[in-house]
Amino acid sequence: MEVFLLLLVFSLSFAVYPIQSTTGSHADVHIVYLGHNNGLSPSLTSRSHLQLLSRVFMKPDEAKQAILYSYSCGFSGFAALLNSTQASTLSETEGVISVFRSRILEVHTTRSWDFMGLNLHMQMEQSSQMHLKFGDDVIVGVLDTGVWPESESFRDDPHYGPIPSSWRGTCVKGDSFDPATACNRKLIGARYYLAGIESELGPLDTSGGAEYRSPRDRVGHGTHTASTAVGSVAPNASYFGLGRGAARGGAPRARLAVYKVCWYKDLTGRCSDADILAAFDDALCDGVHVVSASLGSSPPLMPLFATSTEVGAFHAMQRGVVTVFSAGNDGPDASMVQNVSPWGLTVAASTIDRRFPTVITLGNNASIVGESFLVKDMKKRLVESSSVFTDGTCAFEQLINRTAATGKIVLCFGTMGMVSSEGAALAVYAGNGDGVIFANTISRKSSQDNFWPTVHVDLHQGTQILYYIRASRNAMVHISPSKTVVGKTPAPTVAYFSSRGPSSITPNILKPDVTAPGVNILAAWPPKSSPTVLPLDKRSTNWNFDSGTSMSCPHVSGIAALIKSVHPTWSPAAVKSALMTTAYMYDDTSDVMLAGGTLKAADAFDVGAGHVHPLRALDPGLVYDAGARDHVLFLCSLGYTAAQIRQMVLPGSSLDTSCPGGGAAHAADLNYPAIVLPDLSAPVTVKRTVTNVGANRGAVYRATVVSPQGARAEVWPPELAFSPHHGDTASYYVSVTPAKPSRGRFDFGEIVWSDGFHRVRTPLVVRVTNLPDDGVRAAAATGDHDSHGTTDYLQAAA
């Protein structure tokens, strides 16, 4: 028992990084990416894959045994067990775009829709005014840990019509999963993928329901994300009475297809690149309209075409399928954002205006309000951590003995070591304690459910409690049950854990793109999985609170499904643009939202273009679309050759796949709904093209420009007049000039186009990196210059 607890606490006390197999002469799972399948049938494509693989094996049978997947529908490639020599040989073969090791990725782990203004009454009004069908006939594919099909979120509904005729997928039988009863007109497809994960981490443990070799969810994460995106309306949902209300997804009438690619390993969901790419391949051929993937791998990031997520999303984009990713949970440090390709939509996490205040009454009658999910009253003796742990850190290995905390609530500080609140709770449990008051900095204070009763307070509150303990001979505490309070806390605020930009491999592309609710989200949960998924936790619930960019991602997936139901012909780029240009940067008190973990105002690297606004996104006025040629030029800017690009893009009768000579292609020229110039050393001009999708086809839009500090931005023309033709386009140019000497600080501005009704906002981010002479550098360091002098110097230098 002690060994188990030590391993458990250790795993919860430190950041978990992606697992990778040890490199050596033995075979590891590699992915060989070949681009588009050139219209060949899956059988012919698979045969060509085997022929290519046979080149690096002595016998054909060895190649057959080595291959795990043949990706032959949505794109072309295969996963196989290869040693380093075989992988290197294939990477140098003509027609092979990339060969990369399959990594192990992780999952990024009701009221939120009302908070965003998308309540059922509003949806009913929009339904009559804009033909909104609640996502009806839009198919959302969720790549995650599976699904608990019996959940109320996935029940069949007599109001559903027949399964869309475009659906070509299937429901696969497996452990405790019978398609005849599990799938219906809501849950229309379910598959699972094991070849990659078992080749890399060994056979799954399925004993006693530890996992299911089927689409059934053991972890809970997939059930939660799926119900957040498209769950049916479920009245009276709550977590042991907290957060009670109607639970639903953003597109409750959309159809759900589940692709189980993540499996229960080491108390979390682990996912293999090889399995993820197989799921993408199937999803694109099955006919999904939106892919939702709350998973990723922490930096350092691999090149865009050396990851399953970016390859899959690239081919999804070409087929008109919107792919939504989570940004990762490695915040608040800069440049930790994941899933950074321009063809995917990357979502940060932020709070909603719901709290769970928990009153702590000390023995001196002083009251402090923390946050928790407690459902029972507690009156206990209160002690500080140093009386239970040798160094006061609330770490398991420092526990004085197994009875040190008997009958006590222990005050722990998150600032006194690497222990997390989960680790502290388990350590106190191991010492026979009754609960924890966990103090952390105000920017990291949060309510989350732990296996053992835990109340979260900020550092100031924790210090007050510590002073009381030290001033009392027999400190006592009374903790009242938590309550649900709505609308009393400024929101949204960026979650401290949400991964931040800028992108470490595509700095000209703003990432994350937007933010959405991702803290304490109530959604469906498998009753056979405890709320914490810890073996010690014997509780059962049909609804659970969870936090992470994994929770914000399906919010945007649901909104994307709504947009596709209203605008079925919009491209993924248009959907992304609608979400970004209508997003907002302010909380519900009209102040700029805070960036959790920093106490500073949020900027574009925290939230992208801002917090999503579902209703405005349905009618954005203008959109930045990006066609095949736009992405060809972007690939050129990354260094891909015309021959490689021809393999990667869908063949078109008139598509120009050539690259401009002299390195003229630049990533900043991609028609993206944001402009990022990370290396501004001289004046730069970029072009953007917008399409009028509003009801006023002859609209006139005028620009308002807010220049980033230290740069001067000008827009030409300052006015865009659209013709009466539907979908008319207009282009404008943005010239940005350095207006200060700088060593590399990012500054933020914006360009807003308005016709008096729509407000189309485009973030403008620059980092001035000019190199002034020593005199100007010294003046900049001492502040001994004025703006006119700086401008004169820059003009002379130019």
Side-chain angles (χ1 to χ4, degrees):
M1 182 67 172
E2 290 190 13
V3 173
F4 168 77
L5 279 171
L6 179 59
L7 292 173
L8 190 59
V9 173
F10 183 84
S11 68
L12 290 171
S13 299
F14 297 90
V16 181
Y17 295 94
I19 299 173
Q20 297 198 14
S21 303
T22 304
T23 302
S25 60
H26 69 281
D28 295 304
V29 179
H30 286 76
I31 294 169
V32 180
Y33 173 53
L34 303 171
H36 191 258
N37 66 4
N38 294 316
L40 296 177
S41 67
S43 60
L44 287 176
T45 305
S46 298
R47 194 179 307 164
S48 68
H49 293 165
L50 190 57
Q51 290 173 347
L52 176 60
L53 185 59
S54 296
R55 297 184 185 183
V56 295
F57 283 93
M58 298 294 292
K59 301 176 182 178
D61 287 346
E62 292 178 342
K64 288 182 180 179
Q65 294 173 357
I67 197 164
L68 302 178
Y69 291 110
S70 179
Y71 311 126
S72 55
C73 188
F75 42 87
S76 181
F78 56 88
L81 288 165
L82 303 170
N83 62 35
S84 57
T85 302
Q86 292 168 322
S88 177
T89 300
L90 285 174
S91 69
E92 297 171 358
T93 303
E94 183 179 356
V96 174
I97 295 174
S98 62
V99 177
F100 55 95
R101 277 276 305 277
S102 176
R103 302 161 303 154
I104 297 298
L105 283 65
E106 294 183 355
V107 295
H108 291 148
T109 201
T110 68
R111 166 65 190 166
S112 55
W113 294 110
D114 290 335
F115 172 71
M116 292 191 292
L118 198 63
N119 59 50
L120 289 177
H121 177 68
M122 291 287 284
Q123 282 184 303
M124 293 293 285
E125 289 185 352
Q126 291 289 325
S127 179
S128 61
Q129 295 171 7
M130 297 186 62
H131 309 290
L132 178 61
K133 300 178 181 179
F134 304 92
D136 203 13
D137 286 344
V138 174
I139 302 168
V140 177
V142 177
L143 277 60
D144 213 296
T145 63
V147 66
W148 193 263
E150 294 82 8
S151 170
E152 197 172 355
S153 290
F154 313 121
R155 71 181 188 279
D156 207 341
D157 190 306
H159 295 97
Y160 287 134
I163 292 174
S165 59
S166 62
W167 175 246
R168 298 178 297 275
T170 186
C171 218
V172 177
K173 187 175 182 178
D175 291 350
S176 302
F177 196 93
D178 182 358
T181 56
C183 290
N184 51 43
R185 289 178 297 175
K186 177 66 174 182
L187 177 58
I188 63 174
R191 300 176 184 263
Y192 66 100
Y193 305 83
L194 274 166
I197 196 78
E198 290 197 317
S199 295
E200 297 184 71
L201 299 183
L204 288 175
D205 177 13
T206 58
S207 60
E211 245 301 1
Y212 303 98
R213 299 179 73 88
S214 76
R216 183 171 291 279
D217 186 9
R218 167 63 179 86
V219 180
H221 191 273
T223 300
H224 197 283
T225 57
S227 66
T228 300
V230 300
S232 300
V233 179
N236 206 35
S238 74
Y239 177 73
F240 300 110
L242 293 172
R244 188 177 300 278
R248 67 186 185 281
R253 293 286 294 276
R255 313 305 176 101
L256 172 63
V258 167
Y259 300 85
K260 184 176 179 179
V261 296
C262 301
W263 301 84
Y264 185 63
K265 286 275 189 179
D266 303 322
L267 305 178
T268 189
R270 307 284 192 191
C271 339
S272 164
D273 263 329
D275 296 333
I276 293 168
L277 208 50
F280 262 108
D281 191 35
D282 281 339
L284 298 186
C285 287
D286 287 348
V288 304
H289 302 104
V290 178
V291 170
S292 184
S294 294
L295 45 83
S297 176
S298 299
L301 302 181
M302 298 296 104
L304 292 183
F305 289 98
T307 66
S308 60
T309 49
E310 308 298 20
V311 170
F314 179 74
H315 289 277
M317 174 270 298
Q318 294 186 71
R319 289 171 173 258
V321 176
V322 180
T323 304
V324 186
F325 290 118
S326 47
N329 299 337
D330 295 317
D333 292 336
S335 294
M336 296 299 288
V337 64
Q338 306 170 25
N339 301 313
V340 296
S341 69
W343 39 82
L345 211 168
T346 310
V347 188
S350 45
T351 64
I352 61 174
D353 61 347
R354 180 178 59 194
R355 293 181 58 219
F356 302 95
T358 306
V359 177
I360 302 169
T361 305
L362 304 178
N364 60 3
N365 291 323
S367 291
I368 291 172
V369 180
E371 291 199 44
S372 183
F373 293 124
L374 290 182
V375 295
K376 64 178 182 179
D377 195 82
M378 299 182 70
K379 294 182 179 180
K380 300 289 178 179
R381 187 181 172 194
L382 178 64
V383 297
E384 61 179 293
S385 57
S386 60
S387 68
V388 179
F389 301 91
T390 55
D391 64 354
T393 60
C394 292
F396 177 85
E397 59 272 18
Q398 300 297 329
L399 191 62
I400 293 174
N401 59 58
R402 292 298 304 275
T403 60
T406 300
K408 303 167 186 174
I409 291 176
V410 182
L411 173 66
C412 296
F413 284 83
T415 56
M416 292 183 65
M418 292 293 290
V419 71
S420 65
S421 66
E422 300 99 318
L426 283 161
V428 170
Y429 165 79
N432 203 33
D434 285 348
V436 178
I437 296 176
F438 191 80
N440 213 337
T441 60
I442 191 170
S443 60
R444 291 176 180 257
K445 171 190 169 185
S446 65
S447 57
Q448 65 183 55
D449 188 34
N450 291 327
F451 159 66
W452 211 233
T454 304
V455 183
H456 297 260
V457 298
D458 64 39
L459 195 57
H460 173 68
Q461 294 171 318
T463 303
Q464 288 181 289
I465 297 171
L466 178 64
Y467 289 169
Y468 160 69
I469 293 172
R470 291 180 174 177
S472 175
R473 290 185 177 180
N474 187 28
M476 300 295 293
V477 65
H478 173 206
I479 303 178
S480 302
S482 304
K483 296 182 178 180
T484 304
V485 174
V486 172
K488 302 296 184 182
T489 302
T493 294
V494 184
Y496 76 87
F497 55 76
S498 184
S499 291
R500 318 297 167 93
S503 166
S504 57
I505 60 173
T506 54
N508 286 106
I509 303 300
L510 180 63
K511 290 292 172 176
D513 292 300
V514 291
T515 188
V519 178
N520 294 333
I521 303 302
L522 182 67
W525 197 257
K528 289 194 175 181
S529 296
S530 70
T532 60
V533 202
L534 296 177
L536 295 172
D537 191 349
K538 304 302 180 184
R539 295 173 298 169
S540 173
T541 180
N542 292 315
W543 306 94
N544 194 17
F545 286 113
D546 209 347
S547 297
T549 54
S550 279
M551 283 64 250
S552 57
C553 169
H555 277 88
V556 174
S557 303
I559 300 169
L562 287 181
I563 295 174
K564 291 290 283 186
S565 70
V566 176
H567 305 288
T569 62
W570 279 13
S571 69
V575 172
K576 176 191 287 190
S577 174
L579 287 162
M580 291 180 69
T581 60
T582 59
Y584 57 92
M585 294 290 295
Y586 296 89
D587 64 23
D588 51 11
T589 67
S590 298
D591 284 332
V592 177
M593 71 177 88
L594 289 175
T598 66
L599 294 182
K600 72 176 182 66
D603 58 44
F605 289 148
D606 300 313
V607 298
H611 195 284
V612 290
H613 194 300
L615 296 180
R616 289 181 183 171
L618 292 171
D619 181 23
L622 305 176
V623 295
Y624 294 87
D625 211 346
R629 181 59 183 166
D630 294 286
H631 287 98
V632 165
L633 294 175
F634 179 76
L635 294 176
C636 291
S637 75
L638 297 181
Y640 289 94
T641 67
Q644 290 175 315
I645 293 171
R646 278 195 297 273
Q647 288 182 243
M648 295 157 66
V649 300
L650 283 171
S653 57
S654 59
L655 178 61
D656 180 5
T657 59
S658 65
C659 292
H666 196 278
D669 290 325
L670 180 66
N671 201 41
Y672 209 72
I675 298 172
V676 182
L677 302 172
D679 186 18
L680 186 67
S681 58
V684 171
T685 298
V686 297
K687 178 184 177 182
R688 289 293 186 267
T689 300
V690 288
T691 303
N692 183 16
V693 295
N696 183 3
R697 297 184 181 180
V700 175
Y701 282 80
R702 294 175 176 83
T704 302
V705 181
V706 177
S707 295
Q709 183 180 359
R712 183 173 65 253
E714 297 174 305
V715 171
W716 183 262
E719 181 176 289
L720 299 177
F722 293 88
S723 75
H725 299 293
H726 178 67
D728 190 28
T729 63
S731 297
Y732 68 92
Y733 296 85
V734 182
S735 296
V736 186
T737 304
K740 69 173 182 180
S742 175
R743 294 182 180 178
R745 166 179 168 168
F746 280 101
D747 292 296
F748 305 87
E750 64 181 22
I751 301 165
V752 178
W753 291 96
S754 178
D755 63 350
F757 177 73
H758 300 97
R759 185 177 186 273
V760 184
R761 178 179 173 273
T762 304
L764 175 59
V765 182
V766 302
R767 180 173 63 172
V768 177
T769 56
N770 51 25
L771 299 173
D773 62 25
D774 292 340
V776 176
R777 182 180 291 111
T782 61
D784 186 20
H785 70 279
D786 58 29
S787 59
H788 297 290
T790 303
T791 303
D792 291 342
Y793 167 80
L794 292 171
Q795 289 174 342

